[in-house]
């Protein structure tokens, strides 16, 4: 059994298409197909259901691809460990981040890169918590920043980072003379733009409104917090976003209000594989998270408008 065969097998399971898998591995399609056939012959089980095109993995293939991913991850971790012992920490850290935490992840990645100049970070910031958890399990990500409270993380290491606080942001002309807080009944009277349904931030809002028997029909929905704040910056919209975004990117001529009864909070945590010894990059990131004091750094009040 060769690592190359496992790499081709994992690529095919990911791409679910022979030509795309071959392109991802920089080989010809016949070479990839033959390598996988040889792997099947050596293991004495069929791995791929074949027809005129790729039709999926066999039940045996679905189980064995998990082992293939783990073997390749352990090989990469071994290489990283040896390199770290010889020349210091190096390599690429693959980090998935929920959109809500895109404005705070620098508090984690910046000290990591400052302490280890040879480390590169590949950030993906448009993933949902469930996707991140699954990709960490499949060894496609080294770590992730997620909302952990509604996810099955039993087989992962979960390191709390901070408690996210949702706030309302609106143009000052929309709420003249408004106090520091706002009720949900007043929220639904505003011209709202919100995250799309199904996203965690939107679920929090809809659940809070439901406690008062209220619903909201935003005139604009998006998967981008930046797009929400850009609309609020015109002075004609209001939105609800994590307070950490206001620290990083607050539109001019806006007011920020705390939501009351209920307020909206959600935990944010770092997740890594629980396998030992695991990736030296993931272990270093975990240690950085424990030392960074992100919660303390974010605990003060937001900047004044």
């Amino acid at each position: 059994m060769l690592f190359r065969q496992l790499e081709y097998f994992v690529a095919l399971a990911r791409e679910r298409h022979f030509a795309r898998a071959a392109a991802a591995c920089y080989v010809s399609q016949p070479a990839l197909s033959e390598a996988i056939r040889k792997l099947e012959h050596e293991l004495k089980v069929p791995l791929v259901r074949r027809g005129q095109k790729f039709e999926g993995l066999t039940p045996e293939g679905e189980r064995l691809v998990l082992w293939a991913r783990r073997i390749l991850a352990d090989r990469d971790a071994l290489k990283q460990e040896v390199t770290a012992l010889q020349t210091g920490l190096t390599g690429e850290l693959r980090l998935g981040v929920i959109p809500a935490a895109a404005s705070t992840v620098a508090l984690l990645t910046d000290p990591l890169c400052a302490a280890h100049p040879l480390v590169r970070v590949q950030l993906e910031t448009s993933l949902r918590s469930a996707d991140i958890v699954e990709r960490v399990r499949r060894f496609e990500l080294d770590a992730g920043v997620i909302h952990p409270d509604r996810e099955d993380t039993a087989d992962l290491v979960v390191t709390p980072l901070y408690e996210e606080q949702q706030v309302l942001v609106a143009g000052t002309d929309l709420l003249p003379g408004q106090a520091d807080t706002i009720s949900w009944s007043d929220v639904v009277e505003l011209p709202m733009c919100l995250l799309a349904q199904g996203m965690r931030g939107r679920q929090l809002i809809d659940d809070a409104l439901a406690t008062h028997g209220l619903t909201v029909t935003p005139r604009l929905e998006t998967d981008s917090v930046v797009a929400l704040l850009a609309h609020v910056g015109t002075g004609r919209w209001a939105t609800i976003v994590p307070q950490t975004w206001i620290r990083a990117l607050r539109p001019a001529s806006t007011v920020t209000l705390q939501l009351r009864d209920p307020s909206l909070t959600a935990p944010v945590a770092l997740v890594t594989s629980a396998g030992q010894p695991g990736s030296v990059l993931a272990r270093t990131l975990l240690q950085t998270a424990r030392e960074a004091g992100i919660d303390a750094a974010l605990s003060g009040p937001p900047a004044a408008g």
Side-chain angles (χ1 to χ4, degrees), residues 68-97:
R69 291 183 181 122
R70 180 177 297 179
I71 290 168
L72 293 174
D74 286 344
R75 177 204 61 180
D76 294 342
L78 174 62
K79 289 181 178 179
Q80 292 171 357
E81 194 86 39
V82 171
T83 302
L85 291 171
Q86 293 174 335
T87 62
L89 194 63
T90 186
E92 181 177 271
L93 175 77
R94 300 162 302 172
L95 182 60
V97 181

Side-chain angles (χ1 to χ4, degrees), residues 161-242:
L161 295 178
Y162 62 93
E163 193 75 14
E164 175 187 282
Q165 177 81 41
Q166 299 271 339
V167 294
L168 182 131
V169 191
T172 52
D173 291 342
L174 290 178
L175 295 166
Q178 180 70 39
D180 294 334
T181 64
I182 188 170
S183 69
W184 289 98
S185 58
D186 288 335
V187 167
V188 297
E189 298 299 323
L190 294 170
M192 298 297 296
C193 55
L194 294 174
L195 291 175
Q197 288 188 337
M199 299 186 71
R200 178 60 194 284
R202 178 62 180 277
Q203 290 173 343
L204 288 172
I205 295 167
D206 290 343
D207 290 347
L209 287 166
T211 64
H212 295 280
L214 299 171
T215 59
V216 65
T217 304
R219 294 182 59 195
L220 182 142
E221 294 178 294
T222 178
D223 61 355
S224 167
V225 177
V226 172
L228 293 177
L229 293 177
H231 281 78
V232 171
T234 68
R236 293 184 292 275
W237 299 80
T239 192
I240 297 173
V241 295

